[in-house]
Amino acid sequence: KGACGDTYAYDPYVKDCNFGFYHHDPEDRYIWDIDVFAHYYITGEKAVNGKIYKQFVESKSCDYASGTEIALIREEDKKVYLLDGEKEWLWYDFTLEKGDTITIESASPLNPSGEKLKIPVVNTDTFEIGGKLRKRIYLRGYDTWIEGLGTENRLPLHSFEPSCGMDCGDKLYYQRIGDKISYLDNYFIHDLLEPCTSSVLDTQIEALRIARTPDALIVTLPGTGYRLAELTEMTGRLAWCAYLDSEAEGVTIPTATLSPGAYIVTLSNDRGGRIVQKVMIK
């Protein structure tokens, strides 16, 4: 049970999926330009010393096959381990509760400060994110862990970096399992369509009412004030769009000429907000 008596199923971190991070250094403190998108894939399997690990791959494109393996990871009893050469390190521990302390060794690749860290857990709770209840762990002064997603505001291999703290602009903005977006964060630095998924101002994932005919999707608008409807491929390519009357109650999206596959429906309102939902076209 969660902190409020709610029940939920544990969502493992180590699963076939990919994460999107935006690396933002607004003051250019590190001299080089890190205002870029990066994608991290958990994929494949490797056996090392009798243990089965999955590959953790970094890619600047939308295809892990073109990326670089940066770690091997595994999960056991809600704890995530990183294999660094011959040494295995604890990466995440989702069993932690308020009052616990986690110790990070000085030699750990997760600890760039070089000092042994003893970090107290100041609170835990459960909340709904991406349509799923998840446990959230607050580590004093360093990070927030979210079950199934990992760190809330750090790069995947930089979970502990006290010299950087909350000033870093590294932001987890999506997790995708297959062609399903399981988490999509509000993204307020740029209003854009990023190549691997939609990430826009005031984005929400909601259950839209979408009826299907052989030649169209009929979308019921969740209220008034929507001015633009878009259909994009999962690559980010725009397949169709139309301007809407702000009082319109629905929109018909033609699909007869589209190839079968996964698409994203985006509705934009006159207040700068958007609703995003994946649909399958057969």
Side-chain angles (χ1 to χ4, degrees), residues 15-19 40-43 62 64 174-183 196-197 234-235 262-264 278 280:
K15 53 186 178 287
D16 289 310
C17 66
N18 69 292
F19 303 86
Y40 297 86
Y41 291 77
I42 297 177
T43 183
C62 301
Y64 72 83
Y174 82 86
Q175 181 194 83
R176 187 168 62 189
I177 301 173
D179 60 1
K180 178 183 178 182
I181 298 174
S182 58
Y183 166 75
C196 295
T197 189
M234 297 301 291
T235 62
Y263 292 77
I264 295 175
K278 183 181 75 67
M280 296 297 298

Side-chain angles (χ1 to χ4, degrees), residues 234-270:
M234 297 301 291
T235 62
R237 190 183 75 84
L238 184 66
W240 175 91
C241 70
Y243 289 100
L244 307 175
D245 184 309
S246 63
E247 298 301 316
E249 297 180 350
V251 60
T252 298
I253 301 175
T255 60
T257 61
L258 299 178
S259 300
Y263 292 77
I264 295 175
V265 174
T266 303
L267 302 178
S268 303
N269 63 29
D270 51 14

